Amino acid sequence: MHDMRCAMVIAKSVLLEAVRRKEVYVIIILCCALIGVVMSLDFFGLHGLVKFYREVALQLMGISCALAVILLATRQLPREFEIKTIYPLLARPVGRLTFLLGKGLGVCAAAAFCLALFMLIYVAGILSLGGDLAWGLFLQHIYLQMLQMALLTAVCFMLSLLINYDAAMVIGFLFYSASGILSSASLVLYDLTNNAGRALLWLANYALPQLVLFDLSKKVIHYEPALRAELWRPLSFGIMAALTFYALCHTLLYGGVSYYLFRRRAL
Amino acid sequence: MLAVDDLVVSYGRGPKRVPAVNGITFRIDAGECVGFIGANGAGKSTTLKVLMGFIYADSGNAEVCGLPAGAPESRRSIGYLPEVALYYPFMKAGELLELYGALGGMARGDLRSRIPEVLKQVGLDGRQGQLLKTFSKGMQQRLGIAQALITKPDLLIMDELTSGLDPLGRYDLHEIIRGLKKDGRTIFFSSHELSEVEALCDRVILIDRGRIIREVTQAELRTVGRERSLEAFFIEQVRSGGTGDA
């Protein structure tokens, strides 16, 4: 009970940092400005504009949220070590696992805060353009994005414990942006390589999280309920449960490696 | 209250291994105020970090309140002041103390009354709503003392007690320490200030190059102080490996 309360208190401090530091707002304002530019374009016609808006807005929101999470998550532990704020914190009856859990929950709460803001902006934009909003698909997309952010947080924590802050941030962002390319490239390469290469690709396929699995944006963008309604239904409960399980396994894997690296680290 | 037996700590690995603490043994009983004196790099901070569980010993034992040092439960009754006290710049003083108090297991209601009280104790009354990025070094040090005292701990471990404080801050802190001693709290601190140690401590442990070279009582220190300067005594002890006269 005390451990859970400690984790929540630490998470609250991370959320406070995310809210009080300016970078999250800068990302959100830039994102809104770009969305505003898209909404002002009128050479697509209204139907095309709604689709274009959906595409640009969802892509921007995904990237902006990931950027905010990567910045926040990779900074958490190195900053604690650097300015030595970790000493008074761990001088309390708080275990290192609780500390890490609290930090992770805090970054996830900040991600949820960003996603909630983006969600409001997106919905307001769609309604002002008079477009259709696929509520079911859209909410599933937000949920999957949240899972993706939790996974990304665990990966960033691990990176920040293995390498320095700057390198962790760059690799974290490269990993996020190249995940889709890596997934499709590994499928092509699998047929072209020898057995050792295949074993490596097989390992990479299961060990590296496939972030593209959490991207429902294509369905949300091309939502056309008038054409073949069965195509635009929300995903089934089974698929959502499987994706949740997949995200949970990878988050635990990378969170576990982070804890292993942090557990006996000299401070 | 605190027991260290044959503690060995080193930094680095393999041939680059550097010993920091080399088989030290000492004990501090409840209610004692003990100073830990040594030159830079003598092993003071390393010892305190082992007691707090920030680093791990190669061998030997360290116990706090009968529990192995480093176990989260052993820290329940400790208030700790780190050598370099920096705090989250985006937080307000009250929020920071609320964070540390909650982590120390205090209820929200108790914290509401305790925070202004402890801020007043360290001379920061009225600063509860001020952002820490606007705090001077001395104010940060005072806040560091406040966070160490917030849970009313039985044992205070302080690394470089008055570092960064002006003479008035030092005087205030000495008064706080005297008050805590009167309350029966156990205090263990490292310091470079020999006069400070003489004024506050019941006992002093001298450490040099990872080894305890001497333990001196307050009475012995006062005798020394009458005959020659404490600095001269300290240098003599370090040079003779602790065999000099008290």
Side-chain angles (χ1 to χ4, degrees), chain B residues 36-40 42-48 160 190-192 207:
Chain B
F36 205 29
I37 289 273
N40 289 334
K44 304 185 297 291
S45 293
T46 301
T47 307
L48 299 190
E160 301 301 343
S190 71
S191 177
H192 285 117
I207 183 169

Side-chain angles (χ1 to χ4, degrees), chain B residues 59-112:
Chain B
S59 63
N61 266 324
E63 281 185 10
V64 178
C65 305
L67 294 163
E73 274 310 301
S74 74
R75 297 194 288 260
R76 194 167 285 281
S77 47
I78 302 179
Y80 174 70
L81 175 71
E83 184 181 1
V84 181
L86 284 173
Y87 301 96
Y88 302 108
F90 57 88
M91 274 191 177
K92 294 172 183 168
E95 289 169 344
L96 187 88
L97 294 177
E98 198 179 324
L99 166 75
Y100 293 138
L103 292 177
M106 287 181 81
R108 193 174 285 180
D110 296 338
L111 275 168
R112 219 165 282 152

Side-chain angles (χ1 to χ4, degrees), chain A residues 118-250:
Chain A
F118 284 137
M119 200 174 140
L120 286 174
I121 295 163
Y122 177 80
V123 171
I126 284 281
L127 293 178
S128 71
L129 289 172
D132 270 333
L133 188 69
W135 273 109
L137 276 173
F138 178 62
L139 290 175
Q140 282 185 333
H141 175 67
I142 295 289
Y143 172 72
L144 292 178
Q145 286 284 294
M146 198 55 233
L147 292 181
Q148 192 186 59
M149 294 307 137
L151 213 162
L152 202 55
T153 301
V155 171
C156 287
F157 275 3
M158 185 192 74
L159 287 172
S160 70
L161 285 164
L162 282 171
I163 47 181
N164 68 49
Y165 164 57
D166 299 316
M169 195 173 60
V170 171
I171 293 177
F173 197 71
L174 279 177
F175 169 72
Y176 170 77
S177 48
S179 171
I181 301 165
L182 285 173
S183 298
S184 47
S186 66
L187 288 175
V188 175
L189 288 173
Y190 193 82
D191 292 330
L192 301 173
T193 188
N194 58 18
N195 285 343
R198 283 182 181 186
L200 270 175
L201 285 171
W202 182 87
L203 190 71
N205 185 54
Y206 286 100
L208 292 175
Q210 313 282 323
L211 296 183
V212 281
L213 291 176
F214 304 97
D215 186 6
L216 261 189
S217 61
K218 290 283 180 282
K219 265 196 143 183
V220 180
I221 293 162
H222 299 288
Y223 177 68
E224 287 278 2
L227 300 169
R228 297 184 61 189
E230 72 276 8
L231 277 181
W232 310 107
R233 285 194 197 113
L235 300 183
S236 68
F237 177 77
I239 292 173
M240 292 300 283
L243 285 169
T244 305
F245 182 70
Y246 179 84
L248 198 67
C249 287
H250 275 88

Side-chain angles (χ1 to χ4, degrees), chain A residues 2 5-6 9 13 16-17 20 80 83 85 87-96 263-267, chain B residues 49 52-56 72 75-76 80 82 86-88 90-91 95 99-100 102-106 147 150:
Chain A
H2 174 70
R5 187 186 173 213
C6 288
V9 167
S13 72
L16 197 67
E17 179 189 359
R20 292 223 174 122
E80 290 277 355
I83 64 166
T85 41
Y87 291 142
L89 217 118
L90 285 185
R92 319 283 152 186
V94 179
R96 293 193 182 193
R263 193 178 53 112
R264 303 278 298 177
R265 188 184 175 119
L267 300 174
Chain B
K49 282 182 180 177
M52 297 307 300
F54 299 149
I55 53 177
Y56 295 91
R75 297 194 288 260
R76 194 167 285 281
Y80 174 70
L86 284 173
Y87 301 96
Y88 302 108
F90 57 88
M91 274 191 177
E95 289 169 344
L99 166 75
Y100 293 138
L103 292 177
M106 287 181 81
Q147 65 79 23
I150 186 80

Side-chain angles (χ1 to χ4, degrees), chain B residues 4 6 12 27 29 35 61 66 80 85 93 98 118 128 139 165 186 193 195 213 215 236:
Chain B
V4 172
D6 202 18
R27 209 160 286 272
D29 295 325
N61 266 324
Y80 174 70
E98 198 179 324
V118 78
Q128 201 167 332
M139 284 163 81
L165 285 180
T186 311
E193 296 287 328
S195 55
I213 54 170
E215 285 194 38
E236 188 186 305

